[in-house]
Amino acid sequence: MKGDTRQKLKFPKPSPFRKYWGLATKTVFLNHGSFGACPKAVLAVQSEFRRRMEAEPVQFLWRHYEGPLDVARNALAKFVGARPKDLVFVPNATTAVNAVVRSLQLQPGDELLTTDHDYNACHNVLVETARRAGAKIVAARVPFPVRNADEIVEAIVGAVTSQTRLVMVDHVTSNTALIFPVERVIRELEARGVDTLVDGAHAPGMVSINIKKLRPAYYTGNLHKWLCAPKGTAFLWVREEKQEGVQPAVISHGNNRPRPGYTGFQDRFDWCGTIDPSGWFSVAEAIRWMNKLVPGGWGEVRKRNHDLAVKARRILCERLGTKPVCPENMLGSMATIRLPDKYQDVPVKGRIDDEQLRLYDEFGIEVPFFRIGTAAVRYFRVSVQLYNTVEEYEYLADALRQID
Ligand SMILES: Cc1ncc(COP(=O)(O)O)c(C=O)c1O
């Protein structure tokens, strides 16, 4: 820490849940959204899988691979309301989006529809795939600030044309931190004969998911964010009749080595070259462990996080004098908040904004800043996980007011 600014503010006391995570003690960690944070107990289970793998690499990876993978897949299938046979693990949502989009058979003139709230890495997958096929990208303009779910549905549906082959829509957007009405979007697109790929990178653990009910063509979700599983854990769900046409981003043995009891889809994805599968194998434990942390299980985890996100946003908007960007029911466990005027109209200098670096260096606060829209309006985003407290957001508000 540099300077003495920090001494002027009282450092917030940690939450009673904080001890279950290995987060650095002098950090106020308000950015669960970027990469998640895995509890120590889940990491211990992962370490045990790693120990077993390194004790007998060949036995573990050749002979005893499917057992723990299926335990994890079955637990996850139950958690997201899907059949295990339609579900495969991937290292991250980006990999899943690559698999789906790059498997499409596109013709020149076809259109891939996304929104201007999409995640840059996934947007790039669309751009490169479209470029190779002579197809076109269309980005529906979803208003931000946004008043209600209708505005989102109308923006997406209004951008569909007879050339639209796929719509990629976020379940929870990244920079703008909005829960999108994905079920309504999927039904509207279905009625027009258009497939939806749901980018649910932030959804598992933050919002309740029932994929059978949603029934998009494709759904991917990260497990290393809000499910609190180890890094490198995500899933891809593909509707049965679409599975044959989807190849993984990395093709390996599965294409010509069927295993009894598994679908071709699972054969192709379950092994994509040698990796450390201990994170995937620990997914059932992450689901189980988080579920028993509070009396009401996952429902209570989601509710507590949402309630604190709402409260944190109220405090921050009030103390900074800025208006909320969406109704409270569009928030999950994150909130994006407009920075006060004194922060606006500052040119971009480095990869990370100066004030964001100062919050960390001088106050120990980890929180991301963004520039959103064509006017590059500056915002920051807070995340809420069980290890956070209301005092931490008050401390952030005070720190933001001190920086000049
Ligand atoms: C909406 C969205 N999609 C995709 C991703 C990519 O996740 P990953 O880097 O784990 O592939 C993110 C990451 O934050 C995201 O917010």
Side-chain angles (χ1 to χ4, degrees):
M1 306 294 160
K2 65 180 181 196
D4 63 356
T5 326
R6 209 173 132 178
Q7 269 97 56
K8 292 182 203 151
L9 296 181
K10 195 163 160 274
F11 198 72
K13 273 217 311 271
S15 136
F17 290 106
R18 176 102 177 196
K19 61 177 179 291
Y20 299 119
W21 275 264
L23 294 162
T25 47
K26 281 293 168 195
T27 306
V28 172
F29 193 69
L30 305 181
N31 189 6
H32 191 89
S34 281
F35 303 114
C38 185
K40 294 180 210 169
V42 178
L43 291 172
V45 168
Q46 181 184 26
S47 294
E48 174 56 16
F49 278 120
R50 282 211 177 106
R51 188 197 63 71
R52 283 166 50 194
M53 176 169 69
E54 295 308 334
E56 292 189 292
V58 177
Q59 290 292 306
F60 189 84
L61 289 169
W62 264 2
R63 242 178 108 187
H64 301 302
Y65 185 78
E66 271 86 6
L69 191 68
D70 284 337
V71 169
R73 186 178 358 234
N74 291 341
L76 178 64
K78 202 162 158 218
F79 189 78
V80 298
R83 299 184 306 183
K85 63 189 274 209
D86 302 325
L87 205 61
V88 289
F89 285 103
V90 286
N92 47 57
T94 309
T95 303
V97 169
N98 268 274
V100 170
V101 176
R102 295 167 77 186
S103 294
L104 298 172
Q105 306 282 326
L106 295 174
Q107 304 298 323
D110 284 350
E111 290 177 5
L112 297 174
L113 177 58
T114 180
T115 74
D116 57 354
H117 291 234
D118 67 3
Y119 186 71
N120 180 58
C122 300
H123 186 89
N124 285 343
V125 181
L126 300 182
V127 170
E128 179 56 15
T129 310
R131 188 189 66 76
R132 288 182 188 203
K136 198 175 137 195
I137 302 274
V138 179
R141 291 198 62 183
V142 174
F144 190 72
V146 64
R147 279 177 305 199
N148 52 50
D150 294 346
E151 289 187 339
I152 300 170
V153 179
E154 282 159 21
I156 296 171
V157 173
V160 172
T161 73
S162 58
Q163 300 299 107
T164 310
R165 293 290 161 265
L166 180 83
V167 178
M168 182 174 78
V169 59
D170 293 7
H171 199 157
V172 181
T173 61
S174 181
N175 293 3
T176 50
L178 303 172
I179 299 178
F180 268 14
V182 281
E183 188 167 3
R184 284 181 60 192
V185 171
I186 294 164
R187 292 291 86 82
E188 292 285 347
L189 296 174
E190 191 174 64
R192 290 161 178 78
V194 176
D195 284 339
T196 308
L197 159 60
V198 180
D199 176 353
H202 281 281
M206 186 198 286
V207 294
S208 165
I209 305 176
N210 184 340
I211 299 188
K212 250 189 233 142
K213 190 156 168 269
L214 287 177
R215 268 186 77 74
Y218 316 95
Y219 191 109
T220 179
N222 271 335
L223 307 172
H224 47 226
K225 289 186 192 277
W226 297 94
L227 199 86
C228 294
K231 305 284 179 282
T233 55
F235 74 89
L236 171 64
W237 176 95
V238 177
R239 209 168 64 213
E240 191 165 11
E241 77 273 15
K242 297 276 172 194
Q243 290 173 6
E244 206 184 314
V246 182
Q247 283 286 347
V250 175
I251 293 169
S252 181
H253 295 298
N255 277 10
N256 62 355
R257 289 204 187 148
R259 298 163 302 169
Y262 290 89
T263 64
F265 173 58
Q266 292 174 321
D267 287 333
R268 292 193 296 281
F269 278 84
D270 281 0
W271 186 272
C272 291
T274 308
I275 56 154
D276 173 356
S278 59
W280 294 348
F281 291 180
S282 310
V283 163
E285 178 60 12
I287 295 173
R288 191 198 68 80
W289 191 85
M290 288 289 290
N291 189 55
K292 67 153 187 51
L293 198 52
V294 287
W298 271 104
E300 186 178 336
V301 173
R302 286 191 292 264
K303 183 168 180 341
R304 276 177 179 246
N305 290 345
H306 168 75
D307 290 350
L308 184 51
V310 167
K311 202 166 178 181
R313 187 176 77 160
R314 280 188 202 151
I315 291 168
L316 282 153
C317 284
E318 196 184 297
R319 295 203 183 172
L320 299 174
T322 78
K323 284 206 180 74
V325 294
C326 68
E328 290 180 348
N329 65 5
M330 290 174 81
L331 298 179
S333 324
M334 300 193 291
T336 290
I337 297 160
R338 191 184 190 277
L339 280 159
D341 288 344
K342 69 171 182 177
Y343 285 87
Q344 302 297 339
D345 303 316
V346 177
V348 179
K349 270 208 277 168
R351 195 166 65 88
I352 305 177
D353 285 340
D354 271 356
E355 300 93 334
Q356 181 180 337
L357 295 173
R358 285 187 61 191
L359 280 176
Y360 185 81
D361 291 341
E362 296 172 25
F363 300 90
I365 301 172
E366 188 71 81
V367 76
F369 280 34
F370 304 111
R371 287 167 200 258
I372 298 178
T374 40
V377 179
R378 297 185 75 200
Y379 294 85
F380 65 99
R381 185 189 73 192
V382 289
S383 292
V384 178
Q385 189 47 280
L386 290 179
Y387 54 72
N388 291 121
T389 63
V390 71
E391 289 78 19
E392 293 179 324
Y393 304 94
E394 290 169 343
Y395 177 69
L396 169 64
D398 291 343
L400 280 167
R401 283 192 301 189
Q402 278 204 11
I403 287 179
D404 41 33

